[in-house]
Amino acid sequence: MEDFSKLFSELEDCNENEQKEKIEEMNRYMNNMNTEKLYLIFTTKIYNEIDKMIEEKKLSLENAILLLKLLGYWKILKDLLFLDCENTSLCKKIEKKIIDEEKKKEGRNEKKLVDLCECHTSLSCLFPPELLSICVSCLLNAARKKEENEKAQKDVEMALLSLISIYKFNDKGRELFLDEIKDIIKYHQEHCNLTRLAYQSIWKFLMERLYSQRELEGVIENELHFAREATREMEELVECVNWKRKEEEGEKEMKDVIVLRRWLDEVNNYLCSSPSWKEKHIELVGGVVQVFHAAKDNRPAIRDKCIYSFGTAVRKRDVNVDILLRKGVVDAVLEILQATLTDYVLANCICFLGELCKRLNGKMGVMFYEARRIETKRKVFERTEEEGYEDIIMSYHEILPDLEEKFEFLQMSKYSSDYLLSL
C-alpha cells in the first residue's frame, strides 16, 4: 500500500510519459493486493486528488482516464462496487463529458466515449437515468468487436466488466439490449473470441435480469444454453486453477478463481429462479460437484458456494434424489461435515440433509416407485454409516437451537431436529 501511495504522489511531478509508466506500475501493485488493501485505495480522497491534478493540469486527461479505468477494473473485479464516489466533483465532471460527447452531431469520438463510460464505473454504480442508455449502448457496441487479437480482447473484457457495475443497484429506466447480448454470446460460442472473464461478465449481465424478466428463461435455457455453457466453463476452469496453492491471508486471488466463483454465483441464481427441476440441471450440478472436490481442501470460499448450490438444488420440489446421489452431491455434503465450518455453511448442510430426508421419506417432492424410493433411502443411510457421518451429524444436535435462532431458513423449516432423530 505504501508503494502504491508513493507512486500516486509522484504523478504530479512527472511528464506525461513518466506518468504512464508510474500508472502501469501502480496497476501491477493492485494486481498483487488483496481485498483489504484495495479497500484502502478506493476512497473519496484519491478521486478528489485526481480531480485536483486535472484542474491544475498536473495530470493529463488521457492519463487520468488510463488511471481511472485501471482503478475501475480492480474495483469491479474484486466486487468493491458498494464503495461509491458518485458525489465527487470528478464523477459529475465525467458524467458531463459523457453527455457532451454523446450530443456531438459531428466529430464524436467513440473511443473517448467508451473510455469515459468505463471511467464512470470506477466512480459509481449509480448512473443517472440519462446516462444509462448512453453507457449501456456504448459499452455493448465496444464489446461486439470481432477481432481476436490480445488488445481487442482486453478492450472487450473491460467493456463487459464495466457493464456489470452499471446495473448493480439500478432498476429504474434500464433497457435490456437483448439482441446485442445474444449476438455477443452466440458469436463467442462459435468463435471463442472472448476471455473467460469477458464471457462470464456478459452472462452475468444477462442473468441478473432473469428475476424481473421471466420471459428470458426460454432464451437463457434453450437458445443460449446456460447449463451447458456454465458446466463447460467450470470444468475448464477447474483444470486451469492451481488447487494446491493455499488461500492464505494476503495472497492475491487469481483471475481464474474469481471467474469460477462468479460462475458458481450465476449457477445458484439460475437454480433459484428456475421454477422446476430439469434434465439439463443434472450435468450442471455434476459440474458443481467437480468444483467442490477440487476446492474443498484449499479454497473454502469456493467450496462453501458449492454447498449453497447443493442446498438450492435439493429444495426443488420435483428434484430426483437418486440423481443427487449418483452425481455425488450427497457424498459431498456428508464429507464436508468433517471439516471446520462456519455456522452459515453448517446450517446449509443441515438444511440440505433435512430436505433430503423429507424426500426420502416420501413427504414431498417428485413421486417415484416405492421400491426405488426405499432403495435410494437405503443407499443414503448406508453412506451416513460407512464413514462415521452418523456420529458427526448427531454431534451437531446440541447446537441446532442456536443455529435455528440465527438462520431464518432453518427456523421456517422446523425439520432439522426431525432429521437428526430419524437416523
Side-chain angles (χ1 to χ4, degrees):
M1 179 62 192
E2 293 79 11
D3 293 327
F4 178 92
S5 299
K6 182 175 182 295
L7 287 167
F8 181 76
S9 66
E10 293 172 350
L11 285 176
E12 61 182 10
D13 298 321
C14 299
N15 62 40
E16 192 161 345
N17 289 331
E18 290 172 338
Q19 285 179 349
K20 287 182 180 179
E21 292 176 0
K22 289 188 179 295
I23 290 170
E24 290 298 336
E25 195 172 348
M26 290 162 66
N27 183 50
R28 288 192 288 272
Y29 277 116
M30 286 189 286
N31 182 42
N32 288 286
M33 286 182 183
N34 61 15
T35 302
E36 291 180 1
K37 289 183 178 179
L38 284 171
Y39 269 122
L40 301 177
I41 291 177
F42 297 111
T43 63
T44 302
K45 180 181 178 181
I46 191 171
Y47 294 114
N48 286 337
E49 290 179 0
I50 293 172
D51 186 41
K52 182 180 178 182
M53 284 192 284
I54 294 172
E55 287 295 316
E56 295 177 353
K57 301 189 183 306
K58 294 180 178 179
L59 180 65
S60 69
L61 181 60
E62 181 183 352
N63 283 341
I65 287 174
L66 174 61
L67 177 56
L68 287 171
K69 285 178 63 172
L70 291 174
L71 289 170
Y73 178 85
W74 292 109
K75 182 180 178 183
I76 302 166
L77 190 67
K78 293 301 184 77
D79 290 326
L80 305 177
L81 297 179
F82 54 88
L83 300 175
D84 280 327
C85 297
E86 71 274 5
N87 293 321
T88 62
S89 60
L90 180 58
C91 186
K92 303 302 180 186
K93 185 178 296 180
I94 295 295
E95 290 175 359
K96 184 176 185 306
K97 286 182 178 297
I98 291 172
I99 293 172
D100 289 346
E101 193 66 36
E102 167 67 18
K103 286 180 178 178
K104 289 182 180 178
K105 295 182 179 179
E106 295 182 2
R108 185 168 70 183
N109 188 327
E110 294 295 340
K111 183 182 183 306
K112 181 180 178 181
L113 188 56
V114 172
D115 286 340
L116 289 170
C117 291
E118 291 172 352
C119 284
H120 195 289
T121 63
S122 172
L123 293 157
S124 177
C125 303
L126 303 174
F127 276 60
E130 63 268 27
L131 286 187
L132 277 176
S133 180
I134 296 173
C135 291
V136 174
S137 178
C138 177
L139 292 171
L140 279 173
N141 284 336
R144 296 174 77 182
K145 291 180 180 178
K146 307 301 184 185
E147 298 92 339
E148 297 180 20
N149 61 72
E150 185 176 354
K151 184 182 183 306
Q153 285 188 324
K154 286 185 177 180
D155 289 344
V156 169
E157 181 180 272
M158 185 64 201
L160 290 176
L161 197 64
S162 298
L163 278 170
I164 296 174
S165 70
I166 289 180
Y167 285 102
K168 193 70 178 180
F169 301 117
N170 289 275
D171 293 321
K172 294 181 179 180
R174 58 170 146 187
E175 298 179 44
L176 188 58
F177 297 94
L178 183 58
D179 289 340
E180 291 89 338
I181 295 171
K182 286 162 58 176
D183 178 62
I184 293 169
I185 291 175
K186 287 181 176 180
Y187 189 85
H188 174 76
Q189 289 173 353
E190 294 178 9
H191 303 281
C192 298
N193 66 310
L194 301 178
T195 66
R196 294 190 190 281
L197 177 59
Y199 190 48
Q200 196 283 323
S201 296
I202 189 63
W203 268 110
K204 183 176 179 66
F205 182 66
L206 175 60
M207 293 294 288
E208 287 187 354
R209 273 131 213 88
L210 186 56
Y211 284 108
S212 58
Q213 306 279 342
R214 294 304 310 172
E215 63 272 18
L216 290 181
E217 186 177 347
V219 173
I220 288 170
E221 289 188 347
N222 304 319
E223 188 174 350
L224 300 178
H225 310 289
F226 172 78
R228 181 196 70 193
E229 293 296 296
T231 302
R232 179 182 53 77
E233 288 290 315
M234 289 190 296
E235 289 174 349
E236 292 181 3
L237 284 163
V238 164
E239 297 299 319
C240 294
V241 173
N242 179 6
W243 295 105
K244 294 181 179 179
R245 179 181 177 183
K246 292 188 177 181
E247 195 174 39
E248 297 172 348
E249 184 178 357
E251 181 187 44
K252 70 176 182 179
E253 190 173 11
M254 294 176 292
K255 188 184 289 187
D256 285 341
V257 174
I258 294 173
V259 176
L260 180 55
R261 187 190 70 213
R262 290 185 169 191
W263 274 115
L264 288 169
D265 287 337
E266 298 314 316
V267 167
N268 189 68
N269 290 339
Y270 173 69
L271 291 173
C272 282
S273 60
S274 295
S276 59
W277 180 264
K278 297 180 176 64
E279 188 73 17
K280 60 191 68 176
H281 293 168
I282 297 173
E283 293 306 315
L284 188 61
V285 170
V288 178
V289 171
Q290 185 179 351
V291 175
F292 168 85
H293 285 297
K296 64 182 179 181
D297 294 327
N298 293 331
R299 297 281 175 174
I302 298 288
R303 175 203 70 189
D304 295 348
K305 284 184 179 292
C306 295
I307 295 295
Y308 191 73
S309 292
F310 298 152
T312 303
V314 79
R315 283 191 286 272
K316 292 295 179 186
R317 296 185 63 87
D318 52 353
V319 67
N320 190 323
V321 174
D322 186 54
I323 290 173
L324 298 182
L325 184 64
R326 286 190 284 109
K327 284 295 179 181
V329 176
V330 176
D331 285 338
V333 174
L334 290 172
E335 181 180 349
I336 201 60
L337 288 172
Q338 294 178 317
T340 301
L341 303 175
T342 64
D343 285 352
Y344 179 72
V345 177
L346 178 57
N348 272 285
C349 289
I350 293 174
C351 180
F352 175 92
L353 294 171
E355 292 284 355
L356 185 70
C357 185
K358 285 193 290 185
R359 282 157 176 74
L360 292 175
N361 288 331
K363 294 182 179 179
M364 65 179 297
V366 64
M367 300 300 295
F368 51 86
Y369 295 116
E370 181 67 8
R372 184 178 170 191
R373 181 184 69 81
I374 293 173
E375 177 63 14
T376 302
K377 182 176 180 179
R378 181 187 65 78
K379 289 179 180 178
V380 170
F381 281 90
E382 280 182 356
R383 299 284 175 89
T384 64
E385 295 173 352
E386 285 173 1
E387 302 292 337
Y389 295 128
E390 181 178 5
D391 293 336
I392 295 172
I393 295 170
M394 289 303 294
S395 70
Y396 292 125
H397 190 271
E398 293 182 0
I399 66 172
L400 269 175
D402 292 335
L403 289 176
E404 290 177 336
E405 183 176 348
K406 190 173 182 180
F407 299 105
E408 187 176 359
F409 59 84
L410 280 179
Q411 279 182 319
M412 293 174 65
S413 62
K414 301 297 182 184
Y415 55 65
S416 47
S417 295
D418 291 341
Y419 172 73
L420 296 177
L421 291 175
S422 72
L423 285 173

